[in-house]
Amino acid sequence: MKPARTLAAALAEGTVVLDGGLSNQLRAQGCDLSDELWSARLLVDSPEQIEAAHAAYVRAGAQVLITSSYQATYEGFARRGAGRDEASALLARSVELARRAAEVEPREVWVAASVGPYGAMLADGSEYRGRYGLTVAELERFHRPRIETLAAAGPDVLALETVPDSDEAQALLRAVEGCGVPVWLSYSIAGERTRAGQPLADAFALAAGNASVIAVGVNCCEPGDTDRAVEIAAEVTGKPVVVYPNSGEEWDAAARAWHGEPAFDPSRVRSWQTAGARLVGGCCRVGPAEITALAGRTGH
């Protein structure tokens, strides 16, 4: 159902469970994600598959659904021949599909509109490196139009996620000013640094005094890097921490495939909670079964 409380209010009361990776659930449903638009292509071709994937996570116990807009941009849709009005409608559709899946559930389920980094639009793995050669102002100009469109579609929160670089975080925080929707800011990291190499303490500090940011943390990172990152985020910002690592496998952008062994352990949620995490889940290659296990360890 549509929540009676804000997500910020829920986080003040306890732990809230996020969903897992949308792309892996779509693949499990038989979808082809080989296109540069990744899961966003299905907004055009098979929106019912996206809604079904969201519904699978609701059944698994997720209380927050992240939309399929991570790789959805005006520029990316334009390469596929979509004009601006059509692209705007597709971005709004990503929010509508998640909301429809959420509203059939009798408990509160929030919708987070995904705002992926600039590198996601490039579809070359650069969201795991950052440092695109663009200024903060240029990145802000890139992000603002789709942020405004997503915000107008009525999500409960904007997920500024998989951000590899504190410069891009600055741009995103500028771009969301005045949009009227709260946000969380989540970095992709390696150890105690952003993927671009900045110390996490400095990166998290950008959000410390920003009232529109309801949570700060990390996602799509090695599970083993999360514990210390959660501690730093809580210490630096005093805000609830969001944490949703990937499976621990490594993405090969050239081969467009994952390699390695999974290391996601739902029992890790206890240490996250102790350190200050309140918004917990999984990212790429973490599926409904893992979210059910994680939810069970949070008391849900």
Side-chain angles (χ1 to χ4, degrees):
M1 68 179 185
K2 191 170 176 64
R5 300 174 295 169
T6 65
L7 182 56
L11 295 177
E13 295 175 15
T15 304
V16 176
V17 179
L18 286 165
D19 58 9
L22 186 63
S23 61
N24 44 273
Q25 179 56 27
L26 289 168
R27 285 195 180 94
Q29 294 170 196
C31 299
D32 177 8
L33 303 183
S34 59
D35 191 275
E36 283 190 356
L37 284 174
W38 203 27
S39 57
R41 179 184 62 79
L42 300 180
L43 289 168
V44 180
D45 298 341
S46 303
E48 72 283 356
Q49 291 283 9
I50 294 174
E51 186 174 348
H54 287 316
Y57 281 115
V58 172
R59 292 193 299 270
Q63 298 168 278
V64 179
L65 299 175
I66 302 175
T67 67
S68 53
S69 51
Y70 174 82
Q71 207 147 333
T73 63
Y74 284 101
E75 292 80 359
F77 285 133
R79 290 198 295 266
R80 289 288 300 270
R84 197 161 189 84
D85 288 348
E86 182 182 356
S88 293
L90 292 169
L91 285 162
R93 181 180 292 173
S94 72
V95 176
E96 293 160 8
L97 293 170
R99 186 70 75 190
R100 286 215 298 258
E103 286 181 345
V104 300
E105 179 65 28
R107 57 185 167 81
E108 289 181 306
V109 179
W110 290 267
V111 171
S114 174
V115 181
Y118 176 83
M121 181 270 295
L122 301 177
D124 62 358
S126 60
E127 71 261 44
Y128 297 111
R129 299 188 297 272
R131 288 294 187 247
Y132 316 114
L134 300 179
T135 66
V136 171
E138 287 170 328
L139 288 168
E140 180 185 352
R141 284 195 294 273
F142 166 78
H143 284 296
R144 187 179 291 277
R146 70 172 173 151
I147 282 173
E148 291 174 345
T149 299
L150 288 169
D156 300 297
V157 63
L158 295 173
L160 313 179
E161 58 175 355
T162 326
V163 181
D165 190 320
S166 59
D167 286 352
E168 186 159 26
Q170 288 183 56
L172 284 162
L173 291 174
R174 290 183 189 178
V176 299
E177 288 178 5
C179 76
V181 179
V183 308
W184 80 62
L185 174 63
S186 181
Y187 289 96
S188 63
I189 64 169
E192 295 184 22
R193 293 180 175 270
T194 68
R195 286 283 189 162
Q198 301 111 341
L200 280 184
D202 296 343
F204 290 138
L206 295 174
N210 191 323
S212 67
V213 180
I214 62 170
V216 177
V218 296
N219 78 288
C220 210
C221 57
E222 290 274 353
D225 286 340
T226 56
D227 293 10
R228 181 58 185 144
V230 171
E231 292 174 352
I232 296 170
E235 290 167 1
V236 170
T237 69
K239 294 178 181 288
V241 178
V242 55
V243 53
Y244 50 119
N246 58 37
S247 66
E249 296 161 90
E250 185 174 346
W251 174 248
D252 182 335
R256 298 188 66 80
W258 292 88
H259 301 291
E261 295 297 321
F264 184 89
D265 181 0
S267 67
R268 193 184 293 272
V269 71
R270 297 291 174 81
S271 63
W272 295 344
Q273 289 173 302
T274 299
R278 293 295 176 268
L279 192 53
V280 300
C283 201
C284 298
R285 308 282 284 180
V286 176
E290 289 79 14
I291 295 305
T292 296
L294 186 147
R297 286 168 170 79
T298 65
H300 291 281

